[in-house]
Amino acid sequence: MFFSEKKFRKISGQGRIKKVVLIIQEAQQQLLCGKSVNSSYIKNILNIVEKDISDEWKEPFLSSLSKIPETLTIENLRDLSNLRYALLADIGKEPADWDMDSDMDGIASLLQSKDGEKRTEREVLPINVYLDDLRSPFNVGSIFRTAESFCYENVFLSQHTPSPAHKRAGRSSMGTVELIKWSRAAIEDLPQPVFALETGGISLSDFTFPKSGTVIIGSEEGGISRAAIDTAGKSLGIVSIPLYGIKGSLNVSVAFGILSFCWINKLKT
């Protein structure tokens, strides 16, 4: 990653910005792995590249640069990210949603529990989610991240749902694909009881969540399938999130997050 400042000065405008973006990204990876980073070197190359920054992005760049201390630690990841995104935006390379924080894989291992201790094992409850023909790998990854956070045991996928191994799914999952069990499954083989998240059902506040079972989450385009509706109808039925806006809909991963909070809250109270 690192090479002499003299060599760095010889690189021209945008090429120099692109190089410093990679240097910042690798510095973040080193911090995440518990390694030390040469703060003086990082600050020096940032000062060199400052003259290449356009007026539009100069202020956010300098603001983030001013927060970089003499010794970099894990606490400086956000400031380094702000610097990197300002540089990317300056050269017209603003990251897509699924690219954000892709350098932060493994950050979950640094999170702490309420008592301040690092988590070494995840709690697992006998609750599961079935992804019924989702289309977006980004949503698949986001659902994995939520499922891991709320103690789901399994994520089941229909035949046509994108694989969690997809690059975009992996990024939005923030590494949780490796922490929670998943497999392809048919609706008739899901752990019982079963209910579906869809419009026109029982309000979340009135629904009696089971102590175990599976929730079915439908496609971004067409909602849950006819087979899923029939399966849920023979078990616990359909649950809905009351909505009050004009559009009357939520992103599927956002809706799953709301339901998951309500489900685990009922199980733990």
Side-chain angles (χ1 to χ4, degrees):
M1 174 185 71
F2 301 133
F3 56 103
S4 71
E5 293 176 27
K6 182 178 179 180
K7 183 177 179 181
F8 186 75
R9 290 178 185 276
K10 292 181 180 180
I11 305 174
S12 60
Q14 284 205 359
R16 185 154 54 194
I17 291 177
K18 291 177 181 178
K19 186 63 180 178
V20 78
V21 164
L22 296 176
I23 291 173
I24 292 172
Q25 191 169 7
E26 188 163 341
Q28 290 179 291
Q29 289 284 0
Q30 290 187 356
L31 290 172
L32 284 168
C33 293
K35 299 178 181 178
S36 61
V37 173
N38 187 331
S39 302
S40 297
Y41 174 82
I42 297 293
K43 294 190 77 170
N44 287 342
I45 63 168
L46 288 170
N47 285 324
I48 292 170
V49 83
E50 176 189 339
K51 66 181 181 180
D52 301 318
I53 307 297
S54 67
D55 292 340
E56 179 182 1
W57 289 99
K58 184 83 73 177
E59 184 175 344
F61 174 82
L62 292 175
S63 175
S64 297
L65 180 59
S66 67
K67 297 175 183 177
I68 300 299
E70 292 303 316
T71 301
L72 285 167
T73 69
I74 196 75
E75 302 297 327
N76 302 119
L77 286 174
R78 178 185 292 273
D79 298 320
L80 289 171
S81 286
N82 288 339
L83 281 165
R84 182 161 56 87
Y85 292 143
L87 291 168
L88 286 169
D90 188 64
I91 59 175
K93 298 291 184 180
E94 294 184 72
D97 287 346
W98 48 82
D99 290 325
M100 292 183 181
D101 290 331
S102 61
D103 60 318
M104 308 286 269
D105 288 346
I107 191 67
S109 65
L110 301 172
L111 296 178
Q112 295 183 325
S113 60
K114 289 184 291 185
D115 59 8
E117 296 296 326
K118 289 185 179 179
R119 298 186 180 102
T120 56
E121 295 183 7
R122 66 176 297 259
E123 180 180 2
V124 177
L125 297 174
I127 58 175
N128 311 279
V129 58
Y130 179 74
L131 310 188
D132 185 27
D133 294 351
L134 266 68
R135 303 303 182 200
S136 165
F138 177 84
N139 284 334
V140 170
S142 295
I143 288 172
F144 265 85
R145 189 173 179 182
T146 298
E148 194 282 324
S149 294
F150 288 109
C151 306
Y152 280 74
E153 183 175 10
N154 296 285
V155 177
F156 297 113
L157 291 79
S158 71
Q159 181 181 2
H160 300 292
T161 295
S163 169
H166 191 287
K167 185 177 181 180
R168 293 182 183 176
R171 288 180 175 180
S172 60
S173 78
M174 292 297 287
T176 53
V177 167
E178 306 298 327
L179 300 176
I180 185 169
K181 294 185 294 184
W182 67 271
S183 61
R184 301 282 179 184
I187 290 179
E188 57 269 22
D189 297 328
L190 297 177
Q192 297 288 323
V194 173
F195 64 99
L197 178 62
E198 185 58 282
T199 58
I202 302 170
S203 172
L204 277 180
S205 59
D206 298 326
F207 184 70
T208 301
F209 284 94
K211 294 182 179 181
S212 64
T214 306
V215 60
I216 300 174
I217 306 296
S219 163
E220 302 91 337
E221 295 177 317
I224 62 173
S225 63
R226 184 71 256 173
I229 292 175
D230 292 342
T231 299
K234 295 174 184 177
S235 188
L236 298 182
I238 295 174
V239 62
S240 300
I241 300 171
L243 300 173
Y244 307 99
I246 295 174
K247 181 66 175 177
S249 67
L250 293 171
N251 172 273
V252 63
S253 63
V254 172
F256 175 63
I258 294 171
L259 177 136
S260 296
F261 173 79
C262 293
W263 196 354
I264 198 170
N265 189 51
K266 292 290 179 68
L267 293 177
K268 287 184 169 291
T269 54

